[in-house]
Amino acid sequence: TVHNLPPLGSKRPFDPHKATDAYLAQVSGAARARSDSYFEGGYVLLFVNAFYAVAVSALLLWLKISARMRDLAQRWTPSRFWQVPIYAAQYIALTTILTLPLTIYEGFFRERSYGLMNQTFVAWSGDQTIVFGLSLVAGMIVLTLIYAAIRFTPRNWWLLGTGIATIYLTILFIIGPVFIAPLFNKFSPMQDGSLKHRIEALLAKCGFRSSGLFVMDGS
């Protein structure tokens, strides 16, 4: 049997591991095989992605494409600070193109084959274009700051680099739900009902106040 969450405020212990195992036990047959196939294939793709990334980087290095991108940045400006974003823009754009076939397979065709994608290819491509734009801007800024840290303190640059990465992730977590998520999903105020009241009660119990609850249409 599946163990439901105890009522809010109840002192009855709840074991999430047992509850999860009880739920998964209900999934069997073709559905279980399909689920296992999806996740096991995902584990394989972790190694494929790593190998593909190394292969692309090696290609740029051995064919001296990376060196030509560096030379182009140096011709455009003598400033080592501004050379970094120029190189980063080229690198991000080129690696995005080179990894595009794998991205399309993993992000679109594979998801559709498992029934986890209801977007058209055009709509999916639009989302990927937004992702590319955000990655391009963020990559140029973060890499420029990290290389500036390397020049500033060659021996301890990793300390500054860690700080820069931490600040970047913190800002991303803060602005993500408000500014980035709406670029990909639709948000609407949650309608009044039992679920809303339960969430508000949980927030109150935890000492949080909310200026509004919203529902994300992730489809």
Side-chain angles (χ1 to χ4, degrees), residues 91-138:
Y91 180 85
I92 294 172
L94 186 55
T95 53
T96 298
I97 293 173
L98 293 176
T99 57
L100 187 58
L102 189 58
T103 301
I104 293 175
Y105 165 72
E106 289 186 34
F108 183 75
F109 289 108
R110 185 170 186 266
E111 295 296 301
R112 283 186 71 91
S113 68
Y114 281 95
L116 301 175
M117 167 74 68
N118 64 1
Q119 283 185 304
T120 64
F121 185 75
V122 173
W124 178 84
S125 299
D127 281 351
Q128 294 305 304
T129 301
I130 296 174
V131 171
F132 168 73
L134 294 174
S135 301
L136 182 65
V137 173

Side-chain angles (χ1 to χ4, degrees), residues 7-29:
L8 190 64
S10 172
K11 295 183 179 180
R12 179 164 60 89
F14 175 76
D15 190 329
H17 298 291
K18 290 183 178 179
T20 301
D21 292 339
Y23 173 78
L24 291 177
Q26 296 183 111
V27 183
S28 60

Side-chain angles (χ1 to χ4, degrees), residues 19-62:
T20 301
D21 292 339
Y23 173 78
L24 291 177
Q26 296 183 111
V27 183
S28 60
R32 183 60 178 265
R34 189 175 180 83
S35 174
D36 291 344
S37 174
Y38 178 79
F39 283 101
E40 289 170 1
Y43 300 145
V44 174
L45 286 174
L46 290 176
F47 294 97
V48 173
N49 289 333
F51 175 80
Y52 201 92
V54 171
V56 168
S57 298
L59 182 69
L60 297 181
L61 180 64
W62 292 335

Side-chain angles (χ1 to χ4, degrees), residues 165-182:
T166 302
I167 293 173
Y168 164 71
L169 291 175
T170 301
I171 294 174
L172 186 63
F173 287 140
I174 293 174
I175 70 173
V178 180
F179 297 104
I180 298 178

